[in-house]
Amino acid sequence: MTRKEFLQLSSLISAGTIFPFKLPAEILSYDELRRSDFGNDFVWGTATAAYQIEGAWNEDGKGESIWDHFVHFRNKKIKTRETGDVACDFYHRYESDIALMRQMNIPAFRFSLSWPRILPQGTGALNQKGIDFYHRVIDQCLEKNIEPWVTCYHWDMPQALQDKGGWTNRDVISWFEEYVAVCAKNFGDRVKNWMVMNEPMSFTVLGYILGWHAPGYFMKQDKFYAAVHHATLSQSTGGRVLREVVAQANIGTTTIYTHIEPKNNQPSNVKAAVRADAFLNRLFVEPLLGLGYPVHELHDLKQMEKFILTGDEQKMVFDFDFWGLQNYTRLVVKNMALIPMLHASFVSPKKLKGEITDMKWEVYPQAIYHGLKRMASYQNVKQIIVTENGAAFPDQPVNGEINDTRRLNYIRENMKQVLRAKQEGVNVNGYFIWSFMDNFEWAEGYKPRFGIVGVDFATQQRTVKASGKWFSEFLVGKM
Ligand code: GCO
């Protein structure tokens, strides 16, 4: 088909009823990517997280989470001094939001359950209204033929458990087990696709080393290592609970992959890159695969030994049906003896070649390809789903339209790299854009906008961006 023919066809389609959006002609990339190239069973979706979208932080019996606590009592830690109290108000608007997903032809919706909405004290008494909310969300998805992909834990630990040490207390493994069992028993009849956790690397490093995220500890190495080990054991435990309770469950967990490259070939920088890679990309993957912690490459991890009890090595292992890979960028690493733990530092992304996003991350689409290849190289990884990928750019609404060409290009270029890996034999079978809509970006507040749907936080109005329109067209197979 020539470009002219395609544009004629696409304007006919746009005038039709199935697909109500109009795409600016200049952003159509008609001949580059087709949904069919990825195969019929490839899962397409968008991702969100409870704290980032729900709001209703203290409604209908919900307990306080560490994020509620953090934004209220340590508000200076949030760059814009904002909170997730209201966020996208998804708690009240889930129906119209899921209807919009349907209108956009998005087949799968990844969202997380809020632990303190379900168990306000973390364990013990259930909050039926919280459970009912998620029933309604799941009902809406199924009614609209959207497959729910549920994450059990996306960083909102109940504050009541944080008061007892949170992830640093070994009891967290049984608290988490109880919570996952409640989720599995209540929703397992209708939810088949489960992710135990979202990026444990991020919540442990940001929460116990950098202090940017809840619970906000700075350089507490001991707490960090305890949290790492307990989160690892909780992931495998959560997997086992789901396997036991949910018939025919598709069970995964998610991990961040940041592609690491040494600044140059100097041996000290190459070694620094190996350490950074062990820390950022392997720490939460290899123990679950039965390979143990990457102590050999990162000697500092020996400090974890005091938290490891006899039998833990076996308990850490779980045979996941899929691994959720989340990638945004790469990091270029150099040796830096003074930096604790890693003895490495990162070259500022601004000094690298690529475009820079609002998160100050370099746009480097090959990173996702490398991540997929790496993940696929592990013997026990059966399948990979890209559970997050996306970019924050400052959007400029003009006459009610958000023409976010840079985000659109980011997504398209990343999708091409996913396809490249798939064509080389990697068993990657899904791709979720982060995020469905603009939302509360943790310590960055509402400034970075990741959505393919824009949100005006003053009015809660949703606007499908050009990237969202493009994705919709792609999904109906019009590309
Ligand atoms: C994460 C989380 C998301 C973020 C997203 C953009 O990976 O940090 O899963 O909650 O919002 O990654 O930073």
Side-chain angles (χ1 to χ4, degrees), residues 253-257 281 284-286 289 322-326 368-385 426-427:
T253 195
T254 76
T255 184
I256 182 77
Y257 175 81
N281 297 325
F284 278 99
V285 175
E286 298 190 357
L289 294 173
F322 71 92
W323 276 82
L325 187 97
Q326 320 207 142
I368 200 164
Y369 165 81
H370 294 301
L372 290 166
K373 292 289 264 194
R374 152 72 69 82
M375 212 57 198
S377 72
Y378 290 117
Q379 230 181 12
N380 302 337
V381 170
K382 295 179 189 156
Q383 190 182 71
I384 311 163
I385 302 282
V426 169
N427 188 13

Side-chain angles (χ1 to χ4, degrees), residues 30-44 415 419 422-423 428-429 470-471 473-479:
Y30 65 103
D31 56 354
E32 282 179 349
L33 276 176
R34 282 187 186 79
R35 181 177 178 173
S36 53
D37 295 339
F38 292 80
N40 289 339
D41 59 347
F42 197 89
V43 183
W44 294 100
M415 277 166 57
L419 185 59
K422 192 171 173 70
Q423 285 171 342
V428 50
N429 213 37
W470 177 85
F471 193 46
E473 288 241 3
F474 169 83
L475 292 169
V476 277
K478 300 286 155 41
M479 294 288 118

Side-chain angles (χ1 to χ4, degrees), residues 54 90 153 219 229 240 323 361 385 463:
E54 284 178 6
F90 181 77
Y153 184 76
M219 285 312 291
H229 187 53
R240 279 190 283 273
W323 276 82
W361 299 339
I385 302 282
T463 303

Side-chain angles (χ1 to χ4, degrees), residues 52 154-155 198-199 326 328 361 388 434 441-442 450:
Q52 296 180 273
H154 200 130
W155 307 359
N198 184 72
E199 288 186 19
Q326 320 207 142
Y328 290 88
W361 299 339
E388 279 183 28
W434 183 272
E441 180 54 30
W442 310 108
F450 275 92

Side-chain angles (χ1 to χ4, degrees), residues 155-168:
W155 307 359
D156 45 359
M157 158 84 61
Q159 181 62 34
L161 298 182
Q162 184 63 39
D163 294 341
K164 296 181 194 166
W167 289 110
T168 66

